[in-house]
Amino acid sequence: ETAGGAAAGNMAIYSTPSGAWSVPAIGVDGADSWVTALSVLPGGDVLVGGYFNLAGGPPAASTARYSPASGAWSSTGSVTGVEVYTFASLSSGGVITGGYFTAIGGVAGRNIARFNVSTSSWSALAGYGMDVSSSGLTRLSNGGLIVAG
């Protein structure tokens, strides 16, 4: 995988002002790995989701936090199941995560869960989630969510 001619570990950064590509020193990796979801967090870090088991070197099962400022990766807890498909940022700064999983960050959450940015912890949504994978999320102007599966 390449971006702008440079090897890219499933993720690259494009500068719209300069038109130049750059890649993190170490991206996400693992057998048959890919990134399907990105969300900019308050403070500038990026929540990265998909299907992978390494992020920047350390183990990270399908979710990780990336700092573009420092190039550092940190784990956000592992996903039990298959993968993360989508994110929706909340006005509170949290992120709703959808995908195909039974638990995330050690919390039971069937195919949908909430990431608390300030504590880097996960919580389940009311009702234990969805019976089908959550493949699309969007936040409504009234604060609600549309969840597609």
Side-chain angles (χ1 to χ4, degrees):
E1 298 128 13
T2 64
N10 291 302
M11 197 171 88
I13 301 165
Y14 180 74
S15 169
T16 52
S18 70
W21 288 93
S22 63
V23 295
I26 303 173
V28 301
D29 203 2
D32 298 320
S33 61
W34 53 83
V35 171
T36 55
L38 301 166
S39 182
V40 177
L41 305 174
D45 284 359
V46 179
L47 188 61
V48 180
Y51 181 76
F52 51 86
N53 53 28
L54 300 170
S62 297
T63 62
R65 190 172 183 156
Y66 175 69
S67 170
S70 69
W73 290 88
S74 57
S75 174
T76 57
S78 65
V79 172
T80 303
V82 179
E83 69 183 286
V84 169
Y85 297 145
T86 185
F87 294 133
S89 297
L90 302 174
S91 58
S92 64
V95 178
I96 301 295
T97 302
Y100 183 59
F101 52 85
T102 56
I104 190 165
V107 175
R110 193 168 178 178
N111 301 319
I112 192 164
R114 178 190 308 252
F115 181 69
N116 183 315
V117 176
S118 61
T119 62
S120 289
S121 63
W122 295 93
S123 59
L125 298 186
Y128 186 65
M130 296 183 61
D131 287 342
V132 297
S133 63
S134 302
S135 57
L137 298 168
T138 193
R139 186 171 56 111
L140 300 172
S141 59
N142 68 1
L145 289 170
I146 294 179
V147 182

